[in-house]
Amino acid sequence: MNDVTAPAPVIDTEAERFIGKPVTRTNIHRLAQGRGQYVDDLVLPRMLHVVYLRSPHAHARIVRIDAEAARRMPGIAAIVDGREMAAVCAPWEATLKHLTGMRSPPQHAIAIDRATWQGEAVLAIVGQTRALAEDALDAVTVEWEPLPAAVHMDTALDAATPVIHPELGNNLCFHREIDTGGVEAMFDAADVVVEEVFRFGRHTGVTLEPRAVLADFAPTDRHLTVHHSHQAPHMMADLYARQLGLHEADVRVICRDVGGSFGIKVHAYADDFATVALSVMLGRPVKFVADRLESFVTDVHAREHRVKARLALAHDGRMLAFQIDDLTGIGPYSMFPRTSAIEGNQVLNITGGPYKHDHYKAALDVVFLNKVQTSQYRGVGHPIACAVTEGLVDLAAAKLDIDPLELRRRNVMEDDSYPRKGASGILLEGLSHQACLDRIETMMDYQALRREQAELRAQGIHRGIGIAALIELTNPGPAFYGVGGARIAAQDGATLRLDPTGIVHCATGVGEQGQGTETIFAQIAADTLGVPMASVRVLTGDTAATPYGGGTWASRGAGIGGEAVLLASRQLRQNILELAAAHLKRPAEGMQIARGEVMCLATGEALVSFAELGRIAYFRPDLLPPGFQPELVVTRHYAQRDYPFVFTNGVQASYVEVDVETGFVKLLRHWVVEDCGRVLNPMLVDEQIRGAVVQGIGGVLYEECLYDDNGLMRNGSMADYLVPMACEMPDIEVAHIETPTRTSQLGAKGAGEAGTAGAPAAVLNAINDALRPFGAHVSDQPVTPDKLLRALGRI
């Protein structure tokens, strides 16, 4: 008889692991079959449609509105002006307390007496169909008194410029300064100083699905349901309750499928409030869907900045000091509730971010203009700060005759030097710029590319290589909005439930806008609970069914929402093991979970399935020991509180060819090395980065909201507004360094905006590298053929 104890079998669960694997999107088949449910797909009984009469002027007094003929037209349910709307919907002021000195006057859902930008709504026409409402809109006549407009940010504070809001005294919305001290002395003592003025054109998000809202108010119980194409449903439920005098518990906001957001749909728009208020006034469902022409003059714009910047260096390339002066033009009001000052504020915080200089001086002026309101859009200040920083670094490299990659390597913060502070005061937990620079040098075969560039220049072919090191703030804590008084949740929650069939349900307030949130959450739950991905169902974006949370913005979905899913999944796993122990009358420590079954840790034998445990817990608790209550529903919350933000980082490089005769730029290759902490799904992360790079390329080469001197947008249609097209984009190669954040157990940072943050700087530097033999330089985005030819002296 063999008395040798056999080794315990190893339960191989690696094949069932999902975190870190390139898992296909869980919703891909439904969406590919056209079964997505967007706001405009919804039809409710007795539903009405609203269209808005919008100002054709940048600034004008409303002398008289004659809507009598329109009221008599068939199918018209109501026509409402600003004063009638104000009786139902209170105005708001979009300021944050921690942005000291910020000002913005009260804004109404529909303008009263005066329109302050082209596109501001001055009348709502509600009809049985949109077509009938639009017909009635054409029958309305408005007598306007055009007023002088403040159009140019460079002159917005001049005495001769009209003051948009006389009660404020001038057009200044917000001013801020940073000064570490000793900056002027460092510039005086520097061996080399480089300086430049950078300009950034306005652009907007152009989401595939435009903004849409369907409000349904029930007068009997004063309950409001709003179907929304939005990023932050709980935020909107709070705002609708406060502005319309309702209890938040009686407001339900549902965001099902959302066709792209990019920050465009994280704000509260005046026509959102007006649409919901109309439903309250009429007691019927009211739908508003912006058409593309409306979107150009109502969706937030971003990026209109002029930055005067300079950098001081020693002769060996050591960076000594940065100084910037940022001027940015917003709309006539700050955007509610996140404000239009956040973008400029972030430019100040992160300019010079990757580098270990100690001296920094910065000033910011945010000025009101009679243009579309500006606010957060993908990247939120990062593309501006990165382009300014990296543009100066390339100028310095050329002046010092140091290779641009080498100059960055000499100055980035060392990977083993964290945690530490940046010169602006930002707290940095852990970055990896040294590793990223090494990786991208290998990826792109940097030295070989330089040799190819030199050979082609000798043949009259002008190619350039551009590099950009970047940081990106993600996983924000309460320091972002909560300290300023905005009721935007810094935390998020997740509820995990095992049902009687063994299926796991995961509900969270972080929504899906195309970035793969549902897949990430299913991966985390399946991985932690030991079930197949097909056994997890994810519900997002419904304030009546999900835990309270902040939603999707600032690359927080995986890092904040995913951590809540992880915590809830771990507790549910423990509860399942305790249930199995009670049912099987054996210790939980001797059991393991894999493939949706509880197994013996010693023998690998399957003991009981999740479905059987669910059946017993829900239908036969009499089979369990007296006093034992199975808990198969778990809710956990998470808020990142160790740092104001958890920064991620990376390096991008671009290879372009400039036709010096036509001014056209051809994008050849683009490389990204990204450190977003723990990579949960490399396929989804790479998709996010590539998509963000394309948006960044749009900003540096194509996209700009052009205005005339009267404040009217000249290219507000897809026929005239350029967006990047697939045939123009280069191959984008992505690689990763992983530095998991220690602020969470999951270790995930964000990745959704980093591509947009670094791409403009990399492309701009590549263009200027190609122009260097001609002594030409561009610093005005977008870089159009006209600007290139002017820089070359050809026109």
Side-chain angles (χ1 to χ4, degrees):
M1 182 176 180
N2 188 354
D3 60 356
V4 178
T5 302
V10 176
I11 302 173
D12 181 14
T13 60
E14 185 58 33
E16 303 298 320
R17 304 289 288 183
F18 302 105
I19 293 178
K21 300 291 182 62
V23 178
T24 303
R25 293 170 181 261
T26 55
N27 58 2
I28 190 67
H29 297 294
R30 177 176 64 85
L31 295 175
Q33 293 170 9
R35 294 183 176 274
Q37 190 175 63
Y38 301 91
V39 172
D40 202 28
D41 294 324
L42 303 177
V43 178
L44 300 181
R46 304 174 64 245
M47 185 174 75
L48 299 169
H49 299 258
V50 60
V51 298
Y52 293 100
L53 191 155
R54 301 186 182 277
S55 172
H57 303 282
H59 198 193
R61 184 169 290 109
I62 306 165
V63 178
R64 186 176 64 89
I65 298 177
D66 184 356
E68 291 309 308
R71 293 181 195 278
R72 294 192 296 269
M73 294 181 69
I76 299 305
I79 296 180
V80 177
D81 64 18
R83 282 191 174 80
E84 293 170 301
M85 180 63 63
V88 178
C89 181
W92 55 88
E93 293 185 19
T95 60
L96 292 170
K97 295 175 184 176
H98 65 297
L99 300 181
T100 306
M102 184 183 180
R103 310 180 301 171
S104 186
Q107 182 181 358
H108 287 271
I110 294 179
I112 301 174
D113 296 330
R114 185 172 61 116
T116 53
W117 83 86
Q118 177 201 13
E120 184 173 11
V122 299
L123 196 70
I125 298 95
V126 186
Q128 294 176 359
T129 68
R130 184 181 178 106
L132 290 172
E134 288 182 342
D135 288 344
L137 184 149
D138 290 337
V140 176
T141 59
V142 182
E143 183 181 344
W144 300 96
E145 180 190 341
L147 300 172
V151 178
H152 304 291
M153 66 180 180
D154 297 83
T155 58
L157 299 179
D158 292 356
T161 300
V163 176
I164 300 173
H165 305 290
E167 66 273 23
L168 298 183
N170 58 37
N171 289 323
L172 182 65
C173 170
F174 178 61
H175 176 80
R176 182 193 172 199
E177 295 182 6
I178 298 175
D179 190 349
T180 61
V183 174
E184 295 299 335
M186 295 305 295
F187 274 97
D188 291 341
D191 296 315
V192 170
V193 173
V194 291
E195 55 188 324
E196 184 58 273
V197 177
F198 298 85
R199 287 187 175 271
F200 302 84
R202 275 186 174 231
H203 50 279
T204 187
V206 197
T207 55
L208 191 61
E209 177 205 22
R211 291 186 300 107
V213 56
L214 170 56
D216 184 10
F217 180 73
T220 51
D221 57 6
R222 294 188 61 76
H223 188 275
L224 173 66
T225 300
V226 182
H227 300 270
H228 225 320
S229 181
H230 206 273
Q231 299 173 234
H234 284 100
M235 180 192 86
M236 293 309 300
D238 168 70
L239 293 179
Y240 290 141
R242 285 195 286 142
Q243 301 309 124
L244 297 168
L246 303 171
H247 292 293
E248 187 177 351
D250 294 330
V251 180
R252 179 185 185 187
V253 176
I254 304 170
C255 302
R256 289 194 172 93
D257 293 311
V258 177
S261 298
F262 317 126
I264 297 298
K265 297 176 182 174
V266 78
H267 310 288
Y269 289 84
D271 43 34
D272 293 342
F273 286 117
T275 301
V276 175
L278 287 167
S279 181
V280 172
M281 295 169 74
L282 301 173
R284 294 176 63 175
V286 179
K287 178 190 283 188
F288 166 68
V289 179
D291 65 29
R292 189 59 67 186
L293 298 179
E294 284 181 294
S295 294
F296 276 109
V297 292
T298 58
D299 287 1
V300 295
H301 294 177
R303 312 280 203 258
E304 185 174 10
H305 288 251
R306 182 217 66 201
V307 183
K308 298 177 180 178
R310 59 179 185 155
L311 168 63
L313 305 97
H315 64 85
D316 60 358
R318 285 181 299 111
M319 296 180 192
L320 305 175
F322 275 86
Q323 182 175 1
I324 68 166
D325 185 340
D326 183 13
L327 173 67
T328 178
I330 60 170
Y333 301 95
S334 170
M335 197 67 190
F336 191 54
R338 296 167 187 265
T339 84
S340 301
I342 287 292
E343 181 176 78
N345 198 56
Q346 291 191 181
V347 172
L348 262 62
N349 287 338
I350 59 181
T351 295
Y355 301 108
K356 54 189 178 185
H357 61 100
D358 294 323
H359 297 84
Y360 181 52
K361 187 174 183 179
L364 168 69
D365 281 320
V366 180
V367 296
F368 294 115
L369 298 175
N370 290 114
K371 295 182 179 179
V372 175
Q373 292 170 275
T374 71
S375 202
Q376 287 86 315
Y377 165 60
R378 195 173 195 173
V380 194
H382 292 71
I384 295 146
C386 185
V388 169
T389 302
E390 297 302 300
L392 290 176
V393 173
D394 262 27
L395 286 172
K399 196 165 185 177
L400 288 164
D401 196 23
I402 298 175
D403 180 86
L405 186 64
E406 173 59 24
L407 185 59
R408 289 170 171 85
R409 189 173 272 121
R410 293 182 191 182
N411 285 282
V412 292
M413 299 176 184
E414 294 87 352
D415 294 356
D416 60 359
S417 67
Y418 298 96
R420 63 185 294 169
K421 279 187 178 182
S424 69
I426 55 174
L427 298 175
L428 302 167
E429 179 214 4
L431 305 179
S432 59
H433 279 106
Q434 290 177 317
C436 288
L437 286 168
D438 291 344
R439 183 68 179 276
I440 207 163
E441 181 178 18
T442 302
M443 277 177 67
M444 62 192 296
D445 198 353
Y446 182 72
Q447 298 304 327
L449 210 62
R450 284 293 183 195
R451 289 192 295 271
E452 177 182 279
Q453 178 191 35
E455 292 168 2
L456 291 172
R457 275 182 180 172
Q459 303 171 32
I461 298 172
H462 300 284
R463 291 185 175 181
I465 302 167
I467 300 168
L470 64 102
I471 59 173
E472 179 208 358
L473 64 84
T474 72
N475 295 9
F480 210 153
Y481 292 117
V483 297
R487 294 170 63 85
I488 302 169
Q491 60 88 55
D492 249 282
T495 297
L496 272 290
R497 183 184 86 238
L498 178 68
D499 75 10
T501 66
I503 296 296
V504 176
H505 298 265
C506 171
T508 173
V510 176
E512 170 73 66
Q513 274 94 45
Q515 74 276 51
T517 297
E518 292 179 7
T519 306
I520 292 293
F521 293 162
Q523 285 181 258
I524 295 169
D527 206 70
T528 308
L529 290 166
V531 298
M533 286 276 290
S535 295
V536 180
R537 306 287 187 270
V538 178
L539 173 68
T540 68
D542 185 341
T543 60
T546 64
Y548 204 101
T552 303
W553 46 273
S555 300
R556 69 186 296 278
I560 304 293
E563 183 72 7
V565 172
L566 177 70
L567 298 176
S569 298
R570 285 182 172 174
Q571 185 58 58
L572 180 57
R573 179 188 179 93
Q574 182 60 36
N575 292 0
I576 291 170
L577 285 172
E578 291 176 0
L579 170 59
H583 169 58
L584 298 171
K585 298 180 175 58
R586 56 194 299 169
E589 294 77 14
M591 293 183 288
Q592 175 64 285
I593 291 176
R595 297 180 287 278
E597 294 183 310
V598 177
M599 310 179 79
C600 175
L601 192 60
T603 67
E605 174 191 4
L607 302 175
V608 62
S609 69
F610 277 22
E612 176 63 8
L613 288 174
R615 183 188 71 83
I616 292 169
Y618 288 105
F619 307 128
R620 293 300 307 275
D622 57 294
L623 299 177
L624 299 172
F628 180 82
Q629 176 60 50
E631 296 289 347
L632 299 183
V633 181
V634 174
T635 298
R636 290 292 182 271
H637 292 85
Y638 173 71
Q640 193 282 119
R641 298 174 64 185
D642 296 338
Y643 291 82
F645 318 97
V646 173
F647 278 91
T648 184
N649 70 277
V651 177
Q652 295 190 33
S654 186
Y655 191 38
V656 307
E657 183 175 311
V658 177
D659 186 329
V660 296
E661 299 300 325
T662 65
F664 279 90
V665 175
K666 183 178 182 181
L667 300 160
L668 302 174
R669 297 281 299 279
H670 199 95
W671 299 269
V672 181
V673 177
E674 170 69 10
D675 187 344
C676 60
R678 189 179 187 184
V679 175
L680 305 180
N681 186 325
M683 180 168 61
L684 290 182
V685 172
D686 290 0
E687 285 181 5
Q688 281 287 287
I689 290 172
R690 289 191 179 98
V693 165
V694 169
Q695 281 189 294
I697 289 173
V700 70
L701 288 182
Y702 306 112
E703 299 186 52
E704 185 173 16
C705 299
L706 298 170
Y707 283 82
D708 64 20
D709 288 338
N710 295 313
L712 303 182
M713 192 172 172
R714 297 192 285 122
N715 62 333
S717 76
M718 293 306 293
D720 301 302
Y721 183 90
L722 298 182
V723 293
M725 307 294 283
C727 62
E728 298 160 339
M729 293 301 101
D731 287 338
I732 302 170
E733 186 177 345
V734 181
H736 300 279
I737 303 293
E738 294 190 55
T739 307
T741 174
R742 296 180 181 179
T743 63
S744 70
Q745 297 180 47
L746 191 61
K749 305 175 186 178
E753 298 175 280
T756 304
V763 172
L764 184 66
N765 283 347
I767 292 169
N768 283 321
D769 187 46
L771 297 179
R772 195 150 285 120
F774 300 92
H777 187 82
V778 289
S779 57
D780 188 341
Q781 297 185 32
V783 182
T784 61
D786 176 81
K787 293 173 185 175
L788 271 171
L789 293 176
R790 290 183 186 279
L792 288 163
R794 302 294 172 92
I795 58 173

